[in-house]
Amino acid sequence: MSGQQRRGFAFLVNPTSGGGAAPRTVVPLARALRETGAEVEVSYTTSPVDVPDLVASAVARDAVVVSVGGDGMLSSVAGEVAARDGVLAVVPAGRGNDFARMLGVPHDTAAQAAVLCQAQPRPIDLLRATQPDRATLVVAGSVYAGVDARAAEIVDRSHWLPSKLQYPVAAVRALAGYRPVDCVLTVDGVRTKHQAATVVIANSRYYGKGMAIAPAAEVDDGLLDVIVIEAASRLELIRSLPKVYDGSHAALPEVTVLTGRRVTLSGRYVGSAAVPVGADGEGLGSLPADESDPLVVEISPAAVRVLA
């Protein structure tokens, strides 16, 4: 698709993202694009079941598929676009918007329209996460188990809080009640055991509304960045939380950083309770306890072309 050709766009909008921010975002942007002569189609959906058919229709007419919503919406769209060799674009309108942050997507309408009309597609990586007895899930940003998955659960119940406070409050509440996870991790066949507060398997640098959890991560390097934060006291973890926002936590002695292409993870809380797993703000159930049948996360290099 040439940058000089007039592009068509198929907006897939989650109307509930960001407390209703998505419709407010897409209306002026669609208008700005139509004023350039672009064809723009807008579809609203809250169900991932609708996404495959919407993407297939858009790609068939050579339209750029534009995900308008949060990171969870993006992940549901990105895999379908990748499977059909389409072109993807991202308009941030969710609570976290971490993958858009990683891509450097602007927030004002004029700049977004300029990116959509002028940027050249570039290939980026995606993750493939497989839980035992479940279908493989395509993920854009990261998969995580432990205290951060618990924080994501708290965020989902914190709509009464202002948006800027939801993630910080959830992080502190999750840390205040966390339990260590006894886990087994393998990265490209190298097995290690940990007693961890959390394990993050990342494609993108950011999660949790701007936390630079994997500061060295790049979305086009063909590698997973694995961050293990070893168990510590609740107070120590809460005190170190600000370091996650600028990535300086990676230098702490209780943080292990690994890279690879295939990661497996299994484990339980100390005391044998199940550990929650999440991906881009969406719950993935519980971490498998059996090392012989673990959670598997793999990188899919250059999986999808994106305008950014």
Side-chain angles (χ1 to χ4, degrees):
M1 181 180 295
S2 168
Q4 302 304 312
Q5 294 175 338
R6 184 170 292 170
R7 289 172 171 156
F9 301 94
F11 284 77
L12 273 58
V13 185
N14 181 349
T16 66
S17 288
R24 294 193 299 271
T25 299
V26 76
V27 169
L29 180 55
R31 182 186 304 118
L33 290 170
R34 289 182 177 122
E35 288 172 354
T36 71
E39 291 188 8
V40 180
E41 181 175 296
V42 179
S43 299
Y44 292 89
T45 179
T46 59
S47 173
V49 175
D50 298 333
V51 170
D53 287 343
L54 291 170
V55 171
S57 175
V59 174
R61 62 180 186 274
D62 200 29
V64 175
V65 180
V66 186
S67 173
V68 185
D71 294 307
M73 177 68 174
L74 171 61
S75 284
S76 73
V77 172
E80 296 296 330
V81 177
R84 292 166 174 80
D85 194 27
V87 176
L88 175 69
V90 182
V91 172
R95 289 197 302 267
N97 303 319
D98 287 299
F99 204 78
R101 181 178 288 105
M102 184 68 186
L103 294 176
V105 178
H107 286 270
D108 66 281
T109 299
Q112 289 172 351
V115 168
L116 292 174
C117 290
Q118 300 169 16
Q120 293 302 302
R122 68 179 181 101
I124 62 167
D125 307 333
L126 295 172
L127 310 181
R128 296 178 64 84
T130 307
Q131 284 269 53
D133 301 323
R134 293 193 185 189
T136 296
L137 179 70
V138 175
V139 179
S142 60
V143 178
Y144 37 84
V147 69
D148 41 12
R150 174 62 182 142
E153 292 175 344
I154 294 171
V155 167
D156 282 341
R157 297 196 298 271
S158 300
H159 298 283
W160 54 275
L161 279 171
S163 177
K164 290 183 178 180
L165 295 179
Q166 288 174 4
Y167 281 93
V169 169
V172 171
R173 287 183 59 192
L175 288 169
Y178 104 97
R179 289 173 288 172
V181 178
D182 281 329
C183 60
V184 177
L185 174 72
T186 64
V187 179
D188 289 352
V190 178
R191 178 182 182 272
T192 54
K193 297 184 72 174
H194 303 269
Q195 191 170 92
T198 194
V199 179
V200 182
I201 305 163
N203 181 38
S204 170
R205 187 174 305 147
Y206 300 107
Y207 81 165
K209 200 176 178 67
M211 296 182 183
I213 186 65
E218 299 290 348
V219 295
D220 57 2
D221 62 358
L223 291 172
L224 301 165
D225 285 55
V226 184
I227 312 298
V228 182
I229 300 180
E230 305 287 351
S233 73
R234 293 181 178 88
L235 184 57
E236 286 174 325
L237 289 171
I238 291 171
R239 283 176 174 170
S240 64
L241 181 61
K243 294 181 181 294
V244 181
Y245 282 93
D246 64 9
S248 60
H249 68 288
L252 296 173
E254 60 267 28
V255 177
T256 299
V257 180
L258 304 166
T259 59
R261 292 175 173 82
R262 185 178 191 272
V263 175
T264 68
L265 182 65
S266 60
R268 282 189 177 274
Y269 281 127
V270 173
S272 296
V275 179
V277 179
D280 287 353
E282 304 295 322
L284 294 186
S286 298
L287 184 67
D290 187 351
E291 183 183 350
S292 67
D293 200 12
L295 168 69
V296 179
V297 182
E298 299 171 289
I299 194 76
S300 293
V304 67
R305 293 174 292 151
V306 66
L307 297 180

